[in-house]
Amino acid sequence: MRSILPRRGLRAAVILAFASGALLISIMFAVTTYLSTRHYTVEQRERSGLHQAYSDASRIKAVLTRHANIQATLSSLRMSSHATIHLRVGRRWYSVGRGANTRAPIQHVIPAVRDGSVAFSWTSATSVPSSVVGVPLPAVNAEYYEVAPAKRLQSTLRTVEATLAVCAALTTLAGIVLGWFAARRVLVPLNGVADAAARIAAGELDTRLSPTRDPDLTTLVSSFNTMVDGVSSRIEHDARFAANVSHELRTPVATLTTSLGVLQHDPDLSARSRMAVEIMNTELVRFRQALEDLIALERLDSDIGDSDLEVVPVTDVVANVARENHLDPALIDLPEDDDGLEVRINQLQIRSALSNLIRNANNHGGGVTAIRVVHLDGHVEIHVQDNGPGVPTEDRARIFERFTRLGARRSGPGSGLGLSIVERTASLHGGTVECRANSPQGADFVFTLPLAQEQA
Amino acid sequence: MKTRRVRGLTGVVLAIATTLALSACGIPANDEVQRIDPKHVPAHLLDPTLPTPPASPTAR
């Protein structure tokens, strides 16, 4: 059966454990304290009640022996003890006190007293629990009963109950507070692991957990670091392998391209063979592009050194890229006031990334419709817009992943690496790239770079 | 499974503790009669042959 309660987190579990422990301990402590206190005070009250009854019974016996006024003696006893007194002499009953009109509180004691025993009992037949003492007086053929309310004892026990309940509640509260601190202390190393994992996921493969002297965490730290070492070395190995393969394939691909070029110009080639050669050439161009993109990505993955960076006006870079890609100058929209619009970049990489965006628009968006440079607070946006079918919202993040080719574009030109190169280049320059919807239709690729003055 | 068993055990312990605590509250006024050992009772009260000694005041 599945629990309807939500699953508890580690923090909640630790706090709950501390609170439960504190509650159990405080309840046990409170019950033990209360029982021993109650036992002691009740016993004291019983003892004093018996002594009072013995003393009063002695006086009654003396009065009855002297045949003095019984009623007056009973009244004086009642005044000194505040109890209800019942006295049987022969067949006659005498009663004084608040409960003198009924002998119900002493009924259960009478048989024991008749047997000649002194009897004691606690009764609930009165409004306040009362002690009942019965003393036989065989010398004067009488029985003496004293019913004394234990109001003060009841009040004392209630005070003890309330005090212990408050103490138990405070102890439980202290357990919750202690559990909260303990949970925080326990979660600190886990937060460190989570931070390190997030940095590694963001590409900082040299991130490791700091060594610790805590014996409980040593295994976690060493296992985590060993795992990251393994993953890092595997990634480096894979990257190196891809780079080596790409470099090794470059020469045979160049030879194939040259040979195909020769074949294409052969006048003796039949129409069928010429078509086959054309198809081979198209695929070879695509293959060569994929190789070039893989090599470019490998270079980007090895990061850019500060020495390759230079501060240049962003408008110059965009203008040069547009010229290199034979774009109509009318499509370029640069801000009128471009003062201070300088970016700190590796020019080759940025120009290659922007060219990739233009090539993407040409191949999949029906051609570039505009390139706009927008100056925003602290950064600059370069928009490459097209009028094509656009990119569905759910695919706008995925298209920057390596070898991602959407729908009908799968069979089209391109290696599936161009946008990955753009994304990696933007990231290395502290910028971003994203795909938005163009109005009224098409895609708007926004390449963002921080301004040089903001990075200083 | 184990967690559920521990939870059940905690519940039982809490229930027993609460019942004990509630039943032990206040004065045990249950009308139970205790016969006092005659050795602890002043002898002159039960023995008709002994005279009554002079009264001494007690306080409750």
Side-chain angles (χ1 to χ4, degrees), chain A residues 1 24 27 34-35 38 46 52 54-55 58 61 81 108 112 115 117-124 136-139 146 148 150 154 157 161, chain B residues 4 7 13-14 17 21 24-36 40-42 44-48 50 52 55-56 58-60:
Chain A
M1 198 166 75
L24 268 178
I27 284 177
Y34 180 75
L35 287 179
R38 174 175 167 269
E46 286 176 5
Q52 179 70 42
Y54 295 155
S55 167
S58 290
K61 184 187 170 193
S81 67
H108 57 292
D115 290 346
S117 300
V118 172
F120 179 91
S121 168
W122 284 104
T123 183
S124 54
L137 298 170
E146 202 170 281
Q154 193 182 36
L157 289 177
E161 283 165 20
Chain B
R4 206 172 288 164
R7 246 184 249 163
V13 169
L14 276 175
C25 276
I27 298 164
N30 50 9
D31 294 342
E32 192 181 301
V33 178
Q34 305 171 42
R35 289 172 188 259
I36 307 299
H40 298 132
V41 180
H44 70 274
L45 289 175
L46 301 179
D47 190 345
L50 293 175
T52 309
S56 58
T58 56
R60 177 167 286 137

Side-chain angles (χ1 to χ4, degrees), chain A residues 415-436:
Chain A
S415 61
L417 289 168
L419 291 178
S420 304
I421 292 172
V422 176
E423 194 273 335
R424 184 73 183 134
T425 307
S427 164
L428 284 172
H429 285 81
T432 57
V433 62
E434 62 177 308
C435 176
R436 297 177 191 164

Side-chain angles (χ1 to χ4, degrees), chain A residues 72-316:
Chain A
T73 310
L74 286 177
S75 296
S76 72
L77 287 178
R78 142 88 186 135
M79 284 179 70
S80 66
S81 67
H82 304 288
T84 300
I85 292 166
H86 300 279
L87 177 68
R88 184 189 66 75
V89 183
R91 289 188 173 182
R92 191 165 175 196
W93 282 93
Y94 299 89
S95 298
V96 290
R98 190 172 288 177
N101 54 344
T102 173
R103 289 199 294 277
I106 64 167
Q107 285 304 323
H108 57 292
V109 177
I110 292 174
V113 177
R114 292 256 162 94
D115 290 346
S117 300
V118 172
F120 179 91
S121 168
W122 284 104
T123 183
S124 54
T126 47
S127 57
V128 176
S130 304
S131 64
V132 180
V133 184
V135 182
L137 298 170
V140 288
N141 187 25
E143 289 165 5
Y144 175 80
Y145 299 93
E146 202 170 281
V147 182
K151 212 169 191 173
R152 196 178 295 172
L153 177 62
Q154 193 182 36
S155 149
T156 305
L157 289 177
R158 279 189 183 156
T159 307
V160 172
E161 283 165 20
T163 309
L164 288 173
V166 170
C167 284
L170 287 177
T171 310
T172 309
L173 203 66
I176 291 171
V177 173
L178 204 64
W180 186 78
F181 277 110
R184 210 171 64 160
R185 174 77 184 82
V186 166
L187 286 176
V188 164
L190 290 183
N191 290 337
V193 174
D195 285 346
R199 283 207 300 276
I200 290 163
E204 294 177 38
L205 291 176
D206 54 344
T207 304
R208 298 289 182 276
L209 290 177
S210 313
T212 175
R213 278 184 294 180
D214 187 332
D216 296 322
L217 295 175
T218 312
T219 313
L220 173 69
V221 169
S222 63
S223 303
F224 183 87
N225 286 344
T226 309
M227 179 199 74
V228 178
D229 284 342
V231 170
S232 173
S233 121
R234 185 72 184 267
I235 289 171
E236 278 172 22
H237 178 265
D238 288 353
R240 213 167 32 242
F241 176 74
N244 288 341
V245 168
S246 309
H247 282 289
E248 288 301 318
L249 289 176
R250 240 180 169 180
T251 313
V253 166
T255 311
L256 276 172
T257 309
T258 313
S259 306
L260 270 176
V262 172
L263 263 178
Q264 272 178 315
H265 292 98
D266 184 353
D268 300 333
L269 216 58
S270 67
R272 199 171 169 187
S273 301
R274 187 173 297 280
M275 199 166 77
V277 168
E278 285 299 329
I279 292 170
M280 281 169 69
N281 188 47
T282 307
E283 289 303 313
L284 194 60
V285 166
R286 197 166 132 188
F287 185 51
R288 202 172 59 187
Q289 182 63 52
L291 273 182
E292 295 300 328
D293 286 347
L294 269 175
I295 292 166
L297 261 178
E298 185 265 328
R299 283 185 187 140
L300 286 171
D301 283 342
S302 61
D303 216 334
I304 46 171
D306 274 2
S307 56
D308 300 324
L309 298 176
E310 53 187 318
V311 175
V312 289
V314 71
T315 47
D316 288 0

Side-chain angles (χ1 to χ4, degrees), chain A residues 59-75:
Chain A
R59 285 178 67 184
I60 292 294
K61 184 187 170 193
V63 167
L64 289 173
T65 308
R66 291 197 309 270
H67 302 289
N69 186 341
I70 297 171
Q71 198 65 49
T73 310
L74 286 177
S75 296

